[in-house]
Amino acid sequence: MYRKVKNANLQKLDTPSGEASSSGLRAAVPSSSVAGEPHESLYVLSPIPTILRHIMLTNSGEWPSWLPTFLALLSLVFACSLYTIHAIALVYGKLHLWKKVKFDRKREGVSIIKPIVGLDANLEENLKCFCELDYHQYELHICFQKRDDPAVPLVKRVLANYPNLDVKIHYGGEKVGLNPKINNMMPAYRSAKYPLIVVSDSGIWMRSDALMDMVNCMQPGYALVTQVPYCKNRKGFANNLEQIYFGTSHARIYLAGNAMKFVCSTGMSSMFRKSALDECGGLEAFGGYLAEDYFFGLELMNRGWLCDVSTFPALQNSAHLTVDRFIDRISRWVKLRIAMLPHIIIVEPIQDCFTCGVLASLATSYLFGWNPLVHFTLHIIYWFTSDWTLNRMMQNGSLQISFPEYLLTWVVRETIAPFIFLYALCNQDIEWRESRFRLEWGGRIRQNNGFHNHHNHYSADKIK
Ligand SMILES: CCCCCCCC/C=C\CCCCCCCC(=O)N[C@@H](CO)[C@H](O)/C=C/CCCCCCCCCCCCC
Ligand SMILES: O=c1ccn([C@@H]2O[C@H](COP(=O)(O)OP(=O)(O)O[C@H]3OC[C@@H](O)[C@H](O)[C@H]3O)[C@@H](O)[C@H]2O)c(=O)[nH]1
């Protein structure tokens, strides 16, 4: 008694007319056009594999002849988009990075928030440069999660050398959510006295004119200025690997994404207009997300605020980097991105040099009969040349390692990239410093275990 719907990917559901079903996916097919059927027929959508089979397979159950052509075209369009992204990043980088800083002593004051967890051999050097910034009006807020953090004595010793600096140390944070960095920064955010806020991670080193540079980018209508993540020169293979990752693959997407107004804000060195962030509910509104930096950008853009990239990159300078730590951090970021933007799971593994090269050369071989080895070789030459150029642009000059050493490290980085992605997929747990998390789809934190909260007893030391 039910109407058969040809090619509709619907399955029959034996439910009388008008009766509610608990199934979420259903479609009501009007039966009025079929003589002699008094019921309104209800159908449930089949699972996705059935739909795919219906769409893809011919009546005789074979793959349709157009499918390989379609996939080859798709791969080619994807590869060409990535070739274009290289070019956009290079042009945007050339126009935007490393501008000479113009000093304007009338600009507003800046409150710098520096969350610190644990001692790092480069912390002294990193902290000192924030005490010597060439800016006419700023305050520094140092935030420790624990009063007995091993870095406390060092920080106090360094700050004692700057008696005229406006600085405050906060301990214990304030629990507003599950993101420990947000919790740690909350007391500083609440007591910040200037209209511009800078969040600066403990591993960041800054040139003395870099703060003025960020302020210059904060024009009317803008609420967020980020520094493109890069690395200060440090010796050793792991450091070279990290510098090449941030100077090539990461910089490419970051610069092209910002040029095309995509949200890809990274918060390790970022400046906010406090009034705009307060409009979004303040820092605490983002305490439920682990990738708070991305959601800052998203929320501000949704409210019509503009975001810019400052002309100096963020110079990461934490000590003791190892290849394992590099892989753990990058795979943690992969997990953040997949949770926030699940569709990225399809493009991320094929947007690296070798995977994209294989796809592109198979595609042109199939479509135009080109020699895949020749295309693959040209692909590598184009990719490497633009990576090398972009990396030098990020560095603003010669790289610290020789060309052969660079080439070798670049090959290693590109080869391990898809494996880091797979490694990230293998374990959903996210470990970050002293905490472990799981994320829900959309990016909200679901607390897993081992999260020790030290944020109940806030106190502050005023040094001055
Ligand atoms: C046909 C076009 C293909 C476009 C391919 C783009 C694929 C993007 C794949 C990988 C993303 C690379 C990583 C970007 C940097 C993100 C670093 C990061 O994870 N940082 C986190 C920690 O600080 C942070 O929480 C997350 C920030 C935002 C992540 C959003 C990434 C999406 C970027 C999409 C930009 C597309 C640019 C297209 C330009 C035309
Ligand atoms: O539990 C924590 C973890 C980290 N932090 C602080 O957060 C900053 C960044 O920490 P790490 O260097 O370990 O981590 P990442 O460089 O990977 O962070 C990056 O990814 C996650 C984002 O939320 C950050 O904004 C971004 O900088 C540091 O200053 C650290 O002291 C805390 O205050 N509490």
Side-chain angles (χ1 to χ4, degrees), residues 78 81 250 253 260 264-266 291 293-294 333 337 348 351:
F78 180 73
S81 309
H250 187 281
I253 296 292
M260 302 188 74
C264 37
S265 48
T266 289
D293 45 359
Y294 173 74
W333 287 10
R337 294 196 290 269
E348 180 143 356
Q351 53 94 41

Side-chain angles (χ1 to χ4, degrees), residues 271-282:
M271 174 179 279
F272 304 92
R273 197 177 287 283
K274 189 164 190 284
S275 56
L277 202 54
D278 285 341
E279 202 182 279
C280 306

Side-chain angles (χ1 to χ4, degrees), residues 96-122:
H96 207 81
L97 295 179
W98 298 108
K99 292 267 172 291
K100 191 167 164 30
V101 179
K102 291 195 188 92
F103 280 86
D104 177 356
R105 304 292 180 191
K106 290 195 208 70
R107 288 300 304 258
E108 53 273 62
V110 181
S111 300
I112 302 174
I113 304 179
K114 199 165 261 304
I116 299 181
V117 178
L119 193 54
D120 177 298
N122 289 350

Side-chain angles (χ1 to χ4, degrees), residues 137 174 218 367:
Q137 193 176 39
E174 175 191 339
M218 187 66 89
L367 292 171

Side-chain angles (χ1 to χ4, degrees), residues 348-368:
E348 180 143 356
I350 51 173
Q351 53 94 41
D352 284 305
C353 178
F354 297 142
T355 42
C356 174
V358 169
L359 279 182
S361 39
L362 287 178
T364 49
S365 160
Y366 181 81
L367 292 171
F368 315 123

Side-chain angles (χ1 to χ4, degrees), residues 1-6 8-16 19 21 23-31 34 37 39-46:
M1 292 294 285
Y2 292 93
R3 179 185 169 193
K4 280 193 180 146
V5 182
K6 221 177 175 183
N9 287 314
L10 299 171
Q11 283 176 350
K12 197 164 71 174
L13 184 78
D14 286 345
T15 311
E19 196 179 302
S21 158
S23 171
L25 291 173
R26 62 167 45 185
V29 181
S31 58
V34 181
E37 287 191 3
H39 296 289
E40 182 189 30
S41 304
L42 289 174
Y43 293 79
V44 161
L45 287 169
S46 324

